[in-house]
Amino acid sequence: MRERVIGVLGGMGPEATIAFYARLVAQTPATCDQDHLRVIIDSNPKIPDRTAALVAGGASPVPAMVASIDALGRAGAEFVVVPCVSAHAFLDELRVRVSLPVLSIFDAVADDIRGDPRGIGRVGLLATAGTVRVGLFARHLERQGIVVDLPGAPDQDAVMAAIYEVKSGPTGARRAELRDGLRAVAARLVAGGAQAIVLGCTEIPLIIGRHDAPVPVFDALDALARMARRAAREG
Amino acid sequence: MRERVIGVLGGMGPEATIAFYARLVAQTPATCDQDHLRVIIDSNPKIPDRTAALVAGGASPVPAMVASIDALGRAGAEFVVVPCVSAHAFLDELRVRVSLPVLSIFDAVADDIRGDPRGIGRVGLLATAGTVRVGLFARHLERQGIVVDLPGAPDQDAVMAAIYEVKSGPTGARRAELRDGLRAVAARLVAGGAQAIVLGCTEIPLIIGRHDAPVPVFDALDALARMARRAAREG
């Protein structure tokens, strides 16, 4: 069976791109290099900040994202994934401007939640201020019958600050403080009725993981890696 | 100052590619995504095995490597680094067939050793059977006045076996056994007179690091990341 070449529109940020590709490799059963999928990554950190564009009138990231997707196509990528949840606010704009198919991380997460045998009907969403403000992710999940709870305003500010801070490569001790902060936000969402937590920004899994909440945790990076592998093998 | 776009001919293996890019990101002072360098990676694990080509008459990896370098060029890369030491046995063949400059990991390691204030004149080299058989890496260092010691035959076989095994993603316990084996090989090189150890295969830093030998350790992945950053900033 022919495998399709995966394109990764990355660099938003670089650590999330590394974490995404590491998960894709870890998920792939392999006994030698040649068992792995071919992946072309444009890690382009020069793309303007997505959250700034969404909430503060910053420059649109769309032209740079289109240029990077076109570059991936010239290099031989056959479809594209974007390991940055906030960037998905621009997905419709992107799709009409590029020739490669662009998969959606919203679909990847929704598939994982709906496929979970524990029957999850209500989730707490940890995401950037931009993702929350635009509301596309929450609406996407709600159309699939999943109720979405958001943190209160002070908690949302703390989540956003942690996401920006992790991009600057904090020390181990500071990383532990950021983790404790996000754990507390997740715990409040669970106390409010969430049956699961969605790590809905690709930087958040760099701080907290499956063992940081007393309920199931859905990780957008893991979900996207699974979807990319499936799409490559169905090619 | 304009920064040049780094091309990475990767996938040999995928874990070494991830480790290389993670080091490049970690080495870059940054407070936001936009401070990072743009990096285009073709992680192409379908490239035929380098060691098999060098020691067992396997298929040449050169045509696939040329195709990937050309792909990186089409995507906008301005020079190329190759986080696979064994692949450098084919560097002269590659350089005459591609239009992009290809930097050498041998130069990167030699620069690090010669720049070390401790005055290192003799090193022990941990590398693949292919790299050792071809002898290019050792000759390159020796031309710069650095004496190179190689493991004895049984130790060299153990090094090669560990490199192949780490590509299959061993468990933590097995990884610890592989680490202990390589530590013992390094200790014997030091007992024989080596003043430093060169981690001369990009998979070896996935197993052992700076704290696994009683002498300075030069890591080919770190050296290549430093050289790539310098080259991007001099562009």
Side-chain angles (χ1 to χ4, degrees):
Chain A
M1 189 184 66
R2 204 182 79 80
E3 291 166 351
R4 294 199 293 169
V5 177
I6 300 171
V8 179
L9 172 56
M12 303 181 280
E15 285 211 46
T17 299
I18 292 166
F20 168 78
Y21 185 44
R23 278 157 204 241
L24 197 149
V25 168
Q27 285 179 10
T28 306
T31 58
C32 65
D33 293 348
Q34 291 72 21
D35 289 340
H36 286 279
L37 294 161
R38 184 171 177 192
V39 179
I40 302 176
I41 301 168
D42 184 355
S43 191
N44 184 359
K46 309 302 179 185
I47 294 171
D49 189 271
R50 285 66 57 196
T51 298
L54 292 170
V55 305
S60 169
V62 170
M65 289 199 281
V66 168
S68 278
I69 293 173
D70 288 345
L72 290 169
R74 286 196 302 277
E78 293 170 83
F79 66 93
V80 172
V81 292
V82 189
C84 171
V85 175
S86 302
H88 283 69
F90 305 94
L91 189 60
D92 290 343
E93 275 188 79
L94 286 179
R95 281 177 167 165
V96 298
R97 295 190 198 197
V98 300
S99 53
L100 288 181
V102 184
L103 307 190
S104 165
I105 203 167
F106 301 158
D107 290 330
V109 173
D111 286 355
D112 270 15
I113 297 172
R114 293 179 61 214
D116 193 285
R118 291 164 289 195
I120 309 287
R122 184 168 175 182
V123 302
L125 177 63
L126 300 180
T128 62
T131 294
V132 168
R133 167 83 70 91
V134 172
L136 284 175
F137 197 176
R139 282 202 297 280
H140 193 92
L141 294 177
E142 296 195 327
R143 272 200 303 272
Q144 315 232 6
I146 302 157
V147 177
V148 176
D149 291 339
L150 298 170
D155 276 351
Q156 180 60 47
D157 290 347
V159 171
M160 191 65 232
I163 291 167
Y164 273 127
E165 188 171 339
V166 81
K167 290 174 185 285
S168 66
T171 62
R174 182 61 191 146
R175 234 172 234 269
E177 286 174 18
L178 296 176
R179 187 193 62 219
D180 292 344
L182 291 189
R183 272 183 180 167
V185 175
R188 282 190 280 276
L189 287 165
V190 172
Q195 300 163 323
I197 296 294
V198 173
L199 309 183
C201 163
T202 51
E203 252 82 16
I204 292 176
L206 308 177
I207 314 173
I208 64 171
R210 297 194 179 284
H211 304 296
D212 290 304
V215 293
V217 171
F218 293 92
D219 173 336
L221 272 183
D222 263 342
L224 189 66
R226 248 189 304 281
M227 173 181 261
R229 285 202 306 129
R230 263 197 319 269
R233 294 252 146 89
E234 284 164 2
Chain B
M1 188 184 67
R2 205 183 79 80
E3 291 167 350
R4 293 199 294 170
V5 178
I6 300 172
V8 179
L9 172 56
M12 303 181 282
E15 284 212 44
T17 299
I18 293 166
F20 167 78
Y21 185 45
R23 278 156 204 242
L24 197 151
V25 169
Q27 285 178 10
T28 306
T31 59
C32 65
D33 293 348
Q34 290 73 21
D35 289 340
H36 285 280
L37 295 161
R38 183 172 177 191
V39 179
I40 302 175
I41 301 168
D42 184 355
S43 191
N44 184 358
K46 309 302 179 186
I47 294 171
D49 189 89
R50 287 64 60 197
T51 298
L54 292 169
V55 306
S60 169
V62 170
M65 288 198 281
V66 168
S68 277
I69 293 173
D70 289 345
L72 290 168
R74 286 195 301 277
E78 293 171 84
F79 67 92
V80 172
V81 292
V82 188
C84 171
V85 176
S86 303
H88 283 69
F90 306 94
L91 188 60
D92 290 343
E93 274 187 79
L94 287 180
R95 280 176 168 165
V96 298
R97 295 190 197 196
V98 300
S99 53
L100 288 181
V102 184
L103 307 190
S104 164
I105 202 167
F106 301 160
D107 289 331
V109 173
D111 286 356
D112 270 14
I113 297 172
R114 292 179 60 214
D116 192 285
R118 291 164 289 196
I120 308 288
R122 184 170 174 180
V123 301
L125 177 63
L126 300 180
T128 62
T131 294
V132 169
R133 167 85 68 92
V134 172
L136 283 175
F137 196 176
R139 282 201 296 280
H140 193 92
L141 294 177
E142 296 196 326
R143 272 200 302 272
Q144 314 232 5
I146 302 157
V147 177
V148 177
D149 292 338
L150 299 170
D155 276 351
Q156 180 59 48
D157 289 346
V159 171
M160 190 65 232
I163 291 166
Y164 273 128
E165 189 171 339
V166 81
K167 290 175 185 285
S168 65
T171 62
R174 181 62 191 149
R175 234 173 236 269
E177 287 174 18
L178 296 176
R179 186 193 64 218
D180 291 344
L182 291 189
R183 272 183 180 166
V185 174
R188 282 190 281 275
L189 287 164
V190 172
Q195 300 163 322
I197 296 295
V198 173
L199 309 184
C201 163
T202 49
E203 252 84 16
I204 291 175
L206 307 178
I207 314 174
I208 64 172
R210 296 192 180 287
H211 304 296
D212 290 304
V215 293
V217 171
F218 292 93
D219 174 335
L221 272 184
D222 263 342
L224 189 67
R226 249 189 303 284
M227 173 179 263
R229 284 202 306 129
R230 265 197 318 268
R233 294 251 147 89
E234 284 163 2

